[in-house]
Amino acid sequence: MKKPSTLSRRMIVVVLMLAIVGQACTFSLLENPFTTGTSTQTPGVAVPSATPQAMAQTNFVVILPEPLQANETLVIAVMDEVTGLAFSSLQYPMSARDSLTYTAVLPLPFNSVVKYRYIRRGAAQVLEDTSLGSEIRYRMFYVAGPSEIQDVISDWGDRSYVRPIGSILGQVFNTDTGSPLANMLVTAAGVQQFTDSSGRFELVGLPTGTQTLLVYSPDGLYQPFQQGAMVAENNATVVNLRVKPMPLVNVTFSVVVPESTVPGVPVRIAGNILQLGNTFADLQGGVSTNPDRMPILNLQADGRYSATMALPVGTHIQYKYTLGDGYWNAEHKSDGQWVLREFVVPAQDLSIQDSVETWSFGDSPILFEVTVPSVTPPGDIIYIQFNTFGWMEPIPMWPLGNNRWTYKLYGPLNILGSFSYRYCRNGQCGSADDAQTVGSAPTGRQVSTSVIGQDIQDTVNTWKWYENPEPISLVGANIVPRAGGFIAGVEFQATYHPNWSFYAPQGFANTQALGANMVILTPSWTFSRVSPLGFAPVPGIDPLWIDSAIMISQARALGLNVSLFPTPNFETLNGPTSLSTNFWKDAPKDAVWWQSWFARYRTFAVNYADLATQTGAQTLILGGDWIAPALPNGKLADGTPSNVPADADAQWRSIIAEVRTHFKGQVLWGLPFTKAAIEVPLDFLRDVDGIYLLWSASLSSNPSATKLDYANEAGRLLDNEVATLVSLLNKPLILAIAYPSAAGSANGCVPNGQGGCLDWTELNRPNADISSAILSLQTQADIYEAMLATVNARPWISGFVSRGYYPPAALQDKSASIHSKPTADILWYWFPRMLGTIK
């Protein structure tokens, strides 16, 4: 019973923050309750922020892999994750103790957690790497008092070295309860990993010697824990770490903003913990914070903005006020310097009184006004995205009503000159785009800064993939209600971005409106290395534990049953999710590697079994489209043997058995419908509760085929190839279908333009559009109607699921998502009648 209470405590804090963030849709520039015919505020008297913190002298000592060149210097950069790692850091020169050893003494605040890294400066600025060649985002150090830190630089970004390395592995536990802790960030030597549900972590490729090991709670709910850990060559140092939970106190932020601030606009707090919008990820353009995840302050009658939130005692908070994110429209000092406020949460309630000196620095503000198409869904929010050195994270605009939106850009404008911008819906730039600026790398609209204020008025004539949405004309059908327990579900696609969490409730509400009784979530971990095998959550690409937990809670609050279908992500290796061919091809696939692979998949499965248990999800689905090489007698995509161990069946049985010790709900196996998958006997399938059949079968090679032709072929395949498996296993079967809205999907081959076929996931957003695929909303609708009729005629099929749903925005694109497509209207008609909720 201890685990649920731990999870609930963490969820409550973050859910409260999301409730504050949810105010983003409630304001209007046309309705300011505290102004009566005037555009200026009446600020109260500003009271200084918290008392300056006591400082501790901290000596950094670092050993280089080779001496610096004559024209090179070494600096230590103290990072600012709130503004953006790419934009703001304090760099301090280091002094040579000898040719390889450098030092610097920095005064740092007591009880702060400092993020830093080393930089070699010469003809160019070069960042340090890990021993395995990945860039170090930052190292971390907990300043508990005067101290000395000894570091070793393993590698530089432009060079490689061979040096002895080892690893640290272990578990993190709650000191008070003894429970293992998920979602804790563990780091040493710049290598980072989040713990799984068992509190486990593994840091590999560490330089030998004593390394500073730190456990950090991204939400601050546990006190940082730090100790030295000896790393031996080619060995794993095993540690068990215990962290203390911290109580919550109320912290009230109150701020006076400049008179130039547009009255009533949302003032946010950007900060260094999850509750303040930090994603701990490298997002677009070099930022880490996301405005959709930041708390919004409330405008008070005296012109101040304020918010009260529960924060954990002892947490080192870095924050700033912003009308955008930590970079755009963030507060500055009057001399143009970035502002980064900080304090450590005390053991009693705290009231902080701040004053923003200025939002702008340099040229005059630019007011963007845009009119969007009348077909824009009423619940959508319009975003503006800026391009400086690359497209950055989109910023929500301010509604004016009547399909008009505005955003006043104050800064930073002094460093830009001319720059590009574009508009999109629901923060999905690159997917839900203005038709003039489509894709991940458009030219964009152009603007130049000026000493004179500008008012730019734009019109979005058409949204790409939502040009003129029209509902389908439904054809009535004689639908026989299914037996109790029938699943009518929607599976969300296995792609993720941190701003999706803001739009997940909308996706769940849409799913509920279809009449579905289950949503299938597909949380991921990422295969970041083939050898040594790297398989763990990567922030920004994979949802963190708390993100998935909140989504499950939101779905259940709407009365939806929840199934978890954990799906690995191969994005950092070779493209979109599920395109795992290169991963399997490049893997060593020897006995040692396979042993490591099965161990990591076991950890992956158990992690989500624990998440399902702690959040009340009803079903867990293992397996998937990608996993064929790891099955008994496994084959690679080209048909060659995968060298999977002879005991693969026993391995899978053991994994399923362990999952059942962590989860008492229904366990299904995600089995792709292929001739090989159906014909090859998999004895371990007897150990699961049912089959989740992943279906994208060819239904006709005739371009003129009708819905009846599709239904006849689907029925033949089900009766002749699938029914036998169901009879043999005597297990329920849920049919999960994925058909893109593209010509060719009915015959199982959407052309890739090179004589081959696209995997259906390649058409998912936010992947780039593939011109060889031709949009055909009608094809998808016809297939669904045929498949629903086919399933309804076969009582031995226990469920029907639509795969690939894209939650954050309605798009009538080529993907398999049915969000706001004609196919959604078909499900809206069929699902309630199949479930018997409509007669």
Coordinates of all heavy atoms in Angstrom, one line a residue, residues 611-644:
L611 N 3.2 0.7 -13.2 CA 2.4 1.9 -13.4 C 0.9 1.6 -13.6 O 0.1 2.3 -13.1 CB 2.9 2.6 -14.7 CG 2.2 3.8 -15.1 CD1 2.4 4.9 -14.1 CD2 2.7 4.3 -16.5
A612 N 0.6 0.5 -14.3 CA -0.8 0.1 -14.4 C -1.4 -0.2 -13.1 O -2.6 0.2 -12.8 CB -0.9 -1.1 -15.3
T613 N -0.7 -0.9 -12.2 CA -1.2 -1.2 -10.9 C -1.5 0.1 -10.1 O -2.5 0.2 -9.4 CB -0.2 -2.1 -10.1 OG1 -0.2 -3.4 -10.8 CG2 -0.7 -2.4 -8.7
Q614 N -0.5 0.9 -10.1 CA -0.6 2.1 -9.2 C -1.6 3.2 -9.7 O -2.0 4.0 -8.9 CB 0.8 2.7 -9.0 CG 1.8 1.8 -8.3 CD 3.1 2.5 -8.1 OE1 3.2 3.7 -7.9 NE2 4.2 1.7 -8.1
T615 N -2.0 3.1 -10.9 CA -2.9 4.1 -11.5 C -4.3 3.5 -11.8 O -5.2 4.3 -12.2 CB -2.3 4.7 -12.8 OG1 -2.1 3.6 -13.7 CG2 -1.0 5.4 -12.5
G616 N -4.4 2.2 -11.6 CA -5.7 1.6 -11.9 C -6.0 1.3 -13.3 O -7.2 1.1 -13.7
A617 N -5.0 1.2 -14.2 CA -5.2 0.8 -15.6 C -5.7 -0.7 -15.5 O -5.2 -1.5 -14.7 CB -4.0 1.0 -16.4
Q618 N -6.6 -1.0 -16.5 CA -7.2 -2.3 -16.4 C -6.4 -3.4 -17.2 O -6.5 -4.6 -16.9 CB -8.6 -2.3 -17.0 CG -9.6 -1.6 -16.1 CD -9.6 -0.1 -16.2 OE1 -8.9 0.5 -17.0 NE2 -10.4 0.5 -15.4
T619 N -5.6 -3.0 -18.2 CA -5.0 -3.9 -19.1 C -3.6 -3.5 -19.5 O -3.3 -2.3 -19.5 CB -5.8 -4.0 -20.5 OG1 -7.2 -4.3 -20.1 CG2 -5.3 -5.1 -21.4
L620 N -2.7 -4.5 -19.7 CA -1.4 -4.3 -20.1 C -1.2 -5.1 -21.3 O -1.5 -6.3 -21.3 CB -0.4 -4.7 -19.0 CG 1.1 -4.5 -19.3 CD1 1.5 -3.1 -19.5 CD2 2.0 -5.2 -18.2
I621 N -0.6 -4.5 -22.4 CA -0.3 -5.2 -23.6 C 1.2 -5.3 -23.8 O 1.9 -4.3 -23.8 CB -1.0 -4.5 -24.8 CG1 -2.5 -4.3 -24.6 CG2 -0.7 -5.3 -26.1 CD1 -3.2 -3.4 -25.6
L622 N 1.7 -6.5 -24.0 CA 3.1 -6.7 -24.3 C 3.3 -7.0 -25.8 O 2.3 -7.2 -26.5 CB 3.7 -7.9 -23.4 CG 3.5 -7.7 -21.9 CD1 4.1 -8.9 -21.2 CD2 4.1 -6.4 -21.4
G623 N 4.5 -7.1 -26.2 CA 4.8 -7.4 -27.6 C 4.7 -6.2 -28.5 O 4.9 -5.1 -28.1
G624 N 4.3 -6.5 -29.8 CA 4.1 -5.4 -30.7 C 4.6 -5.8 -32.1 O 5.1 -6.9 -32.3
D625 N 4.5 -4.8 -33.0 CA 4.9 -5.0 -34.4 C 6.4 -5.3 -34.5 O 6.8 -6.0 -35.4 CB 4.5 -3.8 -35.3 CG 3.1 -3.3 -35.1 OD1 2.9 -2.7 -34.1 OD2 2.3 -3.5 -36.0
W626 N 7.1 -4.7 -33.7 CA 8.6 -4.6 -33.8 C 9.4 -5.8 -33.3 O 10.6 -5.9 -33.5 CB 9.1 -3.3 -33.1 CG 8.8 -3.4 -31.6 CD1 7.6 -3.3 -31.0 CD2 9.7 -3.8 -30.6 NE1 7.7 -3.5 -29.6 CE2 9.0 -3.8 -29.4 CE3 11.1 -4.1 -30.6 CZ2 9.7 -4.1 -28.2 CZ3 11.7 -4.4 -29.4 CH2 11.0 -4.4 -28.2
I627 N 8.7 -6.6 -32.6 CA 9.4 -7.6 -31.7 C 9.7 -8.9 -32.3 O 10.3 -9.8 -31.7 CB 8.6 -7.7 -30.4 CG1 9.5 -8.0 -29.2 CG2 7.5 -8.8 -30.6 CD1 8.8 -7.9 -27.9
A628 N 9.3 -9.1 -33.6 CA 9.5 -10.4 -34.2 C 10.8 -11.1 -34.1 O 11.0 -12.3 -33.9 CB 9.0 -10.3 -35.7
P629 N 12.0 -10.3 -34.3 CA 13.3 -11.0 -34.1 C 13.5 -11.6 -32.8 O 14.4 -12.5 -32.7 CB 14.3 -9.8 -34.4 CG 13.5 -8.9 -35.3 CD 12.1 -8.9 -34.7
A630 N 12.8 -11.2 -31.7 CA 13.1 -11.7 -30.4 C 12.2 -12.8 -30.0 O 12.2 -13.4 -28.9 CB 12.9 -10.6 -29.4
L631 N 11.3 -13.3 -31.0 CA 10.4 -14.4 -30.7 C 11.1 -15.7 -31.1 O 12.1 -15.7 -31.8 CB 9.1 -14.2 -31.5 CG 8.3 -12.9 -31.2 CD1 7.1 -12.9 -32.1 CD2 7.9 -12.8 -29.8
P632 N 10.6 -16.8 -30.6 CA 11.2 -18.1 -30.9 C 11.3 -18.2 -32.4 O 10.4 -17.9 -33.2 CB 10.2 -19.1 -30.3 CG 9.6 -18.4 -29.2 CD 9.5 -17.0 -29.6
N633 N 12.4 -18.7 -32.9 CA 12.7 -18.8 -34.3 C 12.6 -17.5 -35.1 O 12.2 -17.4 -36.2 CB 11.8 -19.8 -35.0 CG 11.8 -21.2 -34.4 OD1 12.9 -21.8 -34.2 ND2 10.7 -21.7 -33.9
G634 N 13.0 -16.4 -34.4 CA 12.9 -15.1 -34.9 C 13.6 -14.8 -36.2 O 14.7 -15.4 -36.4
K635 N 13.1 -14.0 -37.0 CA 13.7 -13.6 -38.3 C 13.8 -12.1 -38.3 O 13.0 -11.3 -37.8 CB 12.8 -14.1 -39.4 CG 12.6 -15.6 -39.5 CD 13.8 -16.3 -40.0 CE 13.6 -17.7 -40.4 NZ 13.0 -18.5 -39.3
L636 N 14.8 -11.6 -39.0 CA 15.0 -10.2 -39.3 C 14.1 -9.8 -40.5 O 13.5 -10.7 -41.1 CB 16.4 -9.9 -39.7 CG 17.5 -10.2 -38.6 CD1 18.9 -9.8 -39.1 CD2 17.2 -9.5 -37.3
A637 N 14.0 -8.6 -40.8 CA 13.1 -8.1 -41.9 C 13.4 -8.7 -43.2 O 12.5 -8.9 -44.0 CB 13.2 -6.6 -42.0
D638 N 14.7 -9.1 -43.5 CA 15.1 -9.7 -44.7 C 14.9 -11.2 -44.8 O 15.3 -11.8 -45.7 CB 16.5 -9.3 -45.1 CG 17.5 -9.8 -44.1 OD1 17.2 -10.5 -43.1 OD2 18.7 -9.4 -44.2
G639 N 14.4 -11.7 -43.7 CA 14.1 -13.2 -43.6 C 15.3 -14.0 -43.0 O 15.1 -15.2 -42.8
T640 N 16.4 -13.4 -42.7 CA 17.5 -14.1 -42.1 C 17.3 -14.4 -40.7 O 16.6 -13.6 -40.0 CB 18.8 -13.4 -42.3 OG1 18.7 -12.1 -41.7 CG2 19.1 -13.2 -43.8
P641 N 17.8 -15.4 -40.1 CA 17.6 -15.7 -38.7 C 18.2 -14.6 -37.8 O 19.2 -14.0 -38.1 CB 18.4 -17.0 -38.5 CG 18.4 -17.7 -39.8 CD 18.6 -16.5 -40.8
S642 N 17.5 -14.3 -36.7 CA 18.0 -13.3 -35.8 C 18.9 -13.8 -34.7 O 19.4 -13.0 -33.9 CB 16.8 -12.7 -35.1 OG 16.1 -13.6 -34.3
N643 N 19.2 -15.1 -34.7 CA 20.1 -15.7 -33.7 C 19.5 -15.6 -32.3 O 20.3 -15.6 -31.3 CB 21.5 -15.1 -33.8 CG 22.6 -16.0 -33.2 OD1 22.5 -17.2 -33.2 ND2 23.6 -15.4 -32.5
V644 N 18.2 -15.5 -32.2 CA 17.6 -15.4 -30.9 C 17.9 -16.7 -30.1 O 18.0 -17.8 -30.7 CB 16.1 -15.2 -31.0 CG1 15.4 -16.4 -31.7 CG2 15.4 -14.9 -29.7

